[in-house]
Amino acid sequence: MYDVVLLVEQELSGTDAKRVVDLHQDMPEPVKYHVLVPCHNAEAGVEASISALGTADLYGPGLATQRNDLAEAQKAIDTEAKGCSGRSVERLRDLGQTAEGGISHDRPIDALVATVKHVQGQEVIILTRSHVVAEFFHLDWTNSARRHLGVPVLHLLEHDPEKTPAP
């Protein structure tokens, strides 16, 4: 089995799934795809934002009363991420592939490294929108993954069918 870990920023479109599968069409062994969707931690994000503004003393105690709101927001975020992962896996399976997926609340690269180790992945594909500034400074997921992993890492830009010009 040849294990490929996909770190995706958003749900795989049908076109993206086909592009990924086409990369491995001539593999001599079966391929298994592991879709990983990073999931934002709502509470940590709010606390980090308030701290960055230097207003933690003003709003810190107020956060305690809003834990229920943050928990509800986290549920919604998790539900969306799980749906994204599930629909991406289904698109790969619809193309006759073996695939599984999940979400992670860890930093995306930490989650990617852990997943590659766990499944003994031989290849990583990162699908994102274009992030010109992060890519220019080599702070994007692809460059980080290459620094942390000893497997081939391919960066593909997500295909947005809404933006594709008609033939």
Side-chain angles (χ1 to χ4, degrees):
M1 184 71 64
Y2 187 79
D3 290 280
V4 177
V5 179
L6 294 164
L7 177 62
V8 299
E9 192 170 30
Q10 59 192 29
E11 180 178 326
L12 285 177
S13 68
T15 302
D16 288 333
K18 178 141 179 39
R19 285 174 45 204
V20 167
V21 169
D22 285 349
L23 291 170
H24 304 100
Q25 66 184 356
D26 295 329
M27 290 295 294
E29 59 188 304
V31 176
K32 182 174 185 178
Y33 296 99
H34 306 269
V35 179
L36 177 61
V37 177
C39 189
H40 180 72
N41 182 324
E43 185 173 333
V46 168
E47 288 178 355
S49 297
I50 289 172
S51 294
L53 293 172
T55 57
D57 293 336
L58 297 173
Y59 295 103
L63 283 179
T65 61
Q66 299 196 359
R67 298 260 186 242
N68 288 340
D69 292 340
L70 289 172
E72 287 300 315
Q74 190 65 56
K75 265 196 234 179
I77 291 168
D78 289 354
T79 299
E80 177 57 32
K82 287 175 185 173
C84 171
S85 174
R87 290 184 298 272
S88 296
V89 166
E90 282 306 310
R91 286 198 175 98
L92 291 165
R93 288 179 180 166
D94 288 346
L95 294 170
Q97 303 303 304
T98 302
E100 62 181 23
I103 67 171
S104 175
H105 294 101
D106 295 334
R107 288 181 50 239
I109 296 304
D110 294 342
L112 177 64
V113 169
T115 302
V116 169
K117 287 180 182 176
H118 177 73
V119 302
Q120 298 178 345
Q122 290 113 316
E123 180 180 334
V124 169
I125 298 175
I126 299 175
L127 244 74
T128 66
R129 299 181 312 269
S130 181
H131 297 283
V132 177
V133 174
E135 291 168 13
F136 178 78
F137 289 108
H138 302 285
L139 300 172
D140 59 309
W141 291 351
T142 305
N143 281 295
S144 293
R146 287 181 179 138
R147 286 192 296 272
H148 289 89
L149 295 168
V151 299
V153 177
L154 173 65
H155 181 209
L156 296 176
L157 293 178
E158 293 170 334
H159 173 76
D160 186 351
E162 306 263 327
K163 294 181 183 176
T164 303

